[in-house]
mmCIF file of all heavy atoms in Angstrom:
data_model
loop_
_atom_site.group_PDB
_atom_site.id
_atom_site.type_symbol
_atom_site.label_atom_id
_atom_site.label_comp_id
_atom_site.label_asym_id
_atom_site.label_seq_id
_atom_site.Cartn_x
_atom_site.Cartn_y
_atom_site.Cartn_z
ATOM 1 N N VAL A 278 121.357 105.304 109.931
ATOM 2 C CA VAL A 278 120.191 105.366 110.784
ATOM 3 C C VAL A 278 119.199 104.202 110.352
ATOM 4 O O VAL A 278 118.645 103.545 111.237
ATOM 5 C CB VAL A 278 119.547 106.748 110.706
ATOM 6 C CG1 VAL A 278 118.181 106.778 111.447
ATOM 7 C CG2 VAL A 278 120.458 107.807 111.301
ATOM 8 N N PHE A 279 118.912 104.132 109.135
ATOM 9 C CA PHE A 279 117.987 103.215 108.636
ATOM 10 C C PHE A 279 118.471 101.693 108.600
ATOM 11 O O PHE A 279 117.629 100.783 108.275
ATOM 12 C CB PHE A 279 117.414 103.595 107.193
ATOM 13 C CG PHE A 279 116.409 104.689 107.280
ATOM 14 C CD1 PHE A 279 116.791 106.072 107.187
ATOM 15 C CD2 PHE A 279 115.118 104.436 107.591
ATOM 16 C CE1 PHE A 279 115.925 107.035 107.181
ATOM 17 C CE2 PHE A 279 114.176 105.478 107.647
ATOM 18 C CZ PHE A 279 114.592 106.766 107.475
ATOM 19 N N ASN A 280 119.757 101.549 108.888
ATOM 20 C CA ASN A 280 120.253 100.176 108.963
ATOM 21 C C ASN A 280 119.709 99.363 110.143
ATOM 22 O O ASN A 280 119.975 98.206 110.215
ATOM 23 C CB ASN A 280 121.818 100.174 109.020
ATOM 24 C CG ASN A 280 122.471 98.936 108.533
ATOM 25 O OD1 ASN A 280 122.064 98.390 107.496
ATOM 26 N ND2 ASN A 280 123.454 98.507 109.282
ATOM 27 N N MET A 281 118.954 99.976 111.005
ATOM 28 C CA MET A 281 118.314 99.257 112.073
ATOM 29 C C MET A 281 117.074 98.473 111.542
ATOM 30 O O MET A 281 116.535 97.622 112.351
ATOM 31 C CB MET A 281 117.893 100.231 113.148
ATOM 32 C CG MET A 281 116.694 101.188 112.852
ATOM 33 S SD MET A 281 116.101 102.184 114.171
ATOM 34 C CE MET A 281 117.615 103.233 114.397
ATOM 35 N N ILE A 282 116.619 98.812 110.437
ATOM 36 C CA ILE A 282 115.439 98.109 109.837
ATOM 37 C C ILE A 282 115.829 96.966 108.911
ATOM 38 O O ILE A 282 116.682 97.159 107.980
ATOM 39 C CB ILE A 282 114.566 99.139 108.987
ATOM 40 C CG1 ILE A 282 114.193 100.351 109.826
ATOM 41 C CG2 ILE A 282 113.351 98.457 108.458
ATOM 42 C CD1 ILE A 282 113.422 100.044 111.042
ATOM 43 N N LYS A 283 115.346 95.805 109.084
ATOM 44 C CA LYS A 283 115.584 94.684 108.235
ATOM 45 C C LYS A 283 114.859 94.907 106.862
ATOM 46 O O LYS A 283 113.677 95.044 106.825
ATOM 47 C CB LYS A 283 115.080 93.450 108.916
ATOM 48 C CG LYS A 283 114.915 92.184 107.946
ATOM 49 C CD LYS A 283 116.322 91.616 107.648
ATOM 50 C CE LYS A 283 116.099 90.259 106.859
ATOM 51 N NZ LYS A 283 115.392 90.447 105.632
ATOM 52 N N VAL A 284 115.655 94.810 105.826
ATOM 53 C CA VAL A 284 115.089 94.954 104.438
ATOM 54 C C VAL A 284 114.336 93.684 104.060
ATOM 55 O O VAL A 284 114.778 92.575 104.229
ATOM 56 C CB VAL A 284 116.254 95.170 103.411
ATOM 57 C CG1 VAL A 284 115.766 95.238 101.994
ATOM 58 C CG2 VAL A 284 117.017 96.417 103.794
ATOM 59 N N PRO A 285 113.026 93.900 103.535
ATOM 60 C CA PRO A 285 112.220 92.807 103.178
ATOM 61 C C PRO A 285 112.837 92.031 101.973
ATOM 62 O O PRO A 285 113.077 92.554 100.893
ATOM 63 C CB PRO A 285 110.879 93.429 102.768
ATOM 64 C CG PRO A 285 110.905 94.675 103.437
ATOM 65 C CD PRO A 285 112.385 95.219 103.509
ATOM 66 N N LEU A 286 113.175 90.678 102.246
ATOM 67 C CA LEU A 286 113.883 89.879 101.169
ATOM 68 C C LEU A 286 113.288 88.460 101.433
ATOM 69 O O LEU A 286 112.660 88.172 102.416
ATOM 70 C CB LEU A 286 115.320 89.946 101.368
ATOM 71 C CG LEU A 286 115.969 91.287 100.913
ATOM 72 C CD1 LEU A 286 117.451 91.312 101.211
ATOM 73 C CD2 LEU A 286 115.783 91.451 99.354
ATOM 74 N N PRO A 287 113.645 87.482 100.491
ATOM 75 C CA PRO A 287 113.199 86.101 100.612
ATOM 76 C C PRO A 287 113.608 85.594 101.999
ATOM 77 O O PRO A 287 114.688 85.807 102.499
ATOM 78 C CB PRO A 287 113.836 85.434 99.513
ATOM 79 C CG PRO A 287 114.085 86.482 98.433
ATOM 80 C CD PRO A 287 114.351 87.725 99.216
ATOM 81 N N THR A 288 112.546 84.926 102.695
ATOM 82 C CA THR A 288 112.716 84.493 104.004
ATOM 83 C C THR A 288 112.148 83.136 104.246
ATOM 84 O O THR A 288 111.026 82.794 103.723
ATOM 85 C CB THR A 288 112.113 85.503 104.951
ATOM 86 O OG1 THR A 288 112.665 86.695 104.822
ATOM 87 C CG2 THR A 288 112.209 85.024 106.451
#
Side-chain angles (χ1 to χ4, degrees):
V278 171
F279 282 94
N280 203 42
M281 70 176 67
I282 305 298
K283 165 71 172 64
V284 176
L286 287 172
T288 301

